[in-house]
Amino acid sequence: MKTERAKEILLQLLRIPSPSGREDRIMLHIMEFLHRLDYDVHIESDGEIIDLVVNPDADLFYEVHVDTIPIRAEPFVRGNIIYGTGSSDIKGGAAAILLMMESLKKEGKDLNVGVVFVSDEELGGRGSALFMERYRPKMAVVLEPTDLEVHIAHAGNIEAYFEVDGKEAHGACPESGVNAIEETYKMLEEMKKLEPFKQKGKYFDPHIGIQELVCENPVYLIPALCKGRLEARLLPDQEVEDILDLLDPILDEYTLKYEYTEIWDGYELDESEEIVQLAKKAMEKTEVDEFGGMRSWTDAINFMYNGTKTIVFGPGNLDISHTKNEHIDVRDVVTASEFLKVLNDIYGGG
């Protein structure tokens, strides 16, 4: 019965498109869902961003974003697997929270934690930033696709946009030009040789790579300009400023210009932290049994930077999130919901 109910809740969410900047309809749906359960919902907004908050005075919050990337795949069902943009990232997590809140009402139990549904995570993280401007909970669980692992560590990140210039020449005369594509890959190879990117991590390894590259070659020429985006994933204990000191000379040598657009340090929580201890107790009573580390930017960074000790947890798989094949097993949504409910009960019990 819980599996079918989870499937129903998730499909309702997926059938409401909510790419970043267009979250109004899904926020209204969630608000009406919670009002039917007699939850008091607070609306937080700055005129552009909308967040929905329940139990605003709580010291432990569950947070989930309801925006998605632009729609790449429409929702459909095959047995217990639900496909569609946002199913894994992270409407499956939103469904898990709603299922938990509905179950608590049916069982006559209290919601002891706070809950916040935020917007704009995929675009700029402004929903969680707005929430943290107005609320400062002691602890948080940020819902993201972690394959039901409790992530107590989080990667750092560097994102940079760059332009590499070369020299035009006829395509049959490479010795007379400078190929901007080849120069870009020389730059990348130098970066990959840097010592920080040779290290091994506990939960994941560091990485640097090019995720976008557009090179001009209009009329059979040696390309003279490449524009691209560089992404670096850092270990939780690697200082981003130290990495920038190593990248700057390489970027200065190879690029016409560059700009860092995202820079943040990662973190790893000590196992003695209260939120980690609470999670351990909830894991002992549920099917959740693995710790891990989050490889991507999440709202947890905004929480941690503002002093809230935060773990990341949720159903879904990060590897397939944002792809055309994005999907989720609805049974994992139920497992996530049970973990969140047990954690709510443990926290409420002191």
Side-chain angles (χ1 to χ4, degrees):
M1 292 295 292
K2 285 187 177 180
T3 299
E4 289 304 312
R5 181 55 179 152
K7 186 183 298 185
E8 182 180 358
I9 292 172
L10 177 53
L11 283 171
Q12 288 172 350
L13 296 175
L14 289 174
R15 286 168 179 157
I16 303 173
S18 56
S20 302
R22 293 171 49 197
E23 299 96 339
D24 292 14
R25 283 183 57 208
I26 198 164
M27 287 297 193
L28 178 60
H29 169 78
I30 291 171
M31 187 165 59
E32 290 175 344
F33 184 102
L34 295 176
H35 280 164
R36 287 195 296 270
L37 296 172
D38 291 327
Y39 284 108
D40 187 14
V41 182
H42 300 254
I43 301 173
E44 295 291 344
S45 178
D46 63 0
E48 295 182 358
I49 300 301
I50 300 173
D51 295 341
L52 301 180
V53 182
V54 180
N55 279 3
D57 297 326
D59 283 334
L60 170 59
F61 257 84
Y62 296 167
E63 187 258 27
V64 65
H65 69 88
V66 299
D67 63 313
T68 71
I69 62 167
I71 302 300
R72 303 191 71 209
E74 296 295 332
F76 68 93
V77 182
R78 285 181 179 167
N80 286 318
I81 310 300
I82 298 182
Y83 292 78
T85 298
S87 56
S88 176
D89 187 12
I90 175 68
K91 289 185 177 180
I97 290 179
L98 293 175
L99 181 63
M100 177 204 71
M101 297 177 77
E102 184 177 76
S103 296
L104 289 175
K105 285 292 185 179
K106 288 180 178 178
E107 296 171 16
K109 293 182 176 181
D110 292 330
L111 177 67
N112 302 308
V113 303
V115 176
V116 56
F117 300 88
V118 306
S119 52
D120 191 59
E121 190 271 351
E122 296 290 359
L123 192 61
R126 292 183 296 162
S128 58
L130 175 66
F131 174 76
M132 291 304 294
E133 285 177 9
R134 302 181 181 185
Y135 301 87
R136 294 295 176 90
K138 181 181 178 182
M139 300 173 288
V141 179
V142 166
L143 274 289
E144 287 287 354
T146 70
D147 281 320
L148 299 176
E149 293 179 348
V150 175
H151 285 187
I152 61 175
H154 199 298
N157 178 269
I158 297 169
E159 179 186 79
Y161 283 85
F162 62 84
E163 293 185 10
V164 171
D165 59 336
K167 180 185 175 183
E168 279 189 354
H170 189 280
C173 307
E175 63 278 355
S176 299
V178 178
N179 191 315
I181 296 175
E182 294 176 0
E183 291 299 298
T184 299
Y185 280 94
K186 286 180 186 178
M187 176 183 74
L188 179 61
E189 287 305 308
E190 285 201 33
M191 292 175 173
K192 286 181 176 290
K193 292 176 183 177
L194 294 173
E195 188 60 32
F197 298 110
K198 297 179 182 179
Q199 297 179 19
K200 296 293 182 181
K202 182 178 179 181
Y203 300 113
F204 50 80
D205 296 332
H207 180 267
I208 188 164
I210 293 172
Q211 294 191 0
E212 293 181 28
L213 190 63
V214 178
C215 302
E216 296 180 0
N217 186 7
V219 283
Y220 194 62
L221 290 170
I222 300 300
L225 181 66
C226 286
K227 299 178 181 180
R229 179 171 60 87
L230 190 73
E231 284 276 351
R233 179 181 69 206
L234 309 181
L235 298 177
D237 60 349
Q238 289 179 324
E239 296 287 339
V240 69
E241 291 298 333
D242 294 340
I243 311 299
L244 293 178
D245 288 342
L246 298 174
L247 292 178
D248 280 339
I250 299 174
L251 287 163
D252 287 337
E253 177 183 355
Y254 283 94
T255 69
L256 183 65
K257 61 181 179 180
Y258 65 92
E259 178 185 8
Y260 294 118
T261 50
E262 288 188 12
I263 299 173
W264 74 82
D265 286 312
Y267 69 85
E268 183 168 5
L269 296 177
D270 190 274
E271 290 195 12
S272 63
E273 292 286 354
E274 183 180 359
I275 184 60
V276 179
Q277 291 298 312
L278 288 168
K280 278 186 175 181
K281 292 178 181 178
M283 292 166 76
E284 291 169 359
K285 297 183 177 182
T286 62
E287 297 178 23
V288 176
D289 58 6
E290 295 286 341
F291 284 108
M294 172 49 63
R295 294 168 285 165
S296 173
W297 191 92
T298 73
D299 286 327
I301 294 296
N302 282 342
F303 277 70
M304 284 290 292
Y305 271 31
N306 285 280
T308 299
K309 301 298 182 182
T310 305
I311 60 175
V312 184
F313 167 80
N317 183 290
L318 184 63
D319 292 3
I320 59 170
S321 296
H322 295 194
T323 72
K324 292 180 180 179
N325 190 43
E326 184 171 350
H327 60 270
I328 194 168
D329 190 325
V330 73
R331 291 166 294 190
D332 290 343
V333 174
V334 175
T335 300
S337 180
E338 289 300 316
F339 173 83
L340 295 172
K341 186 165 69 171
V342 169
L343 181 58
N344 171 78
D345 294 344
I346 292 171
Y347 177 69

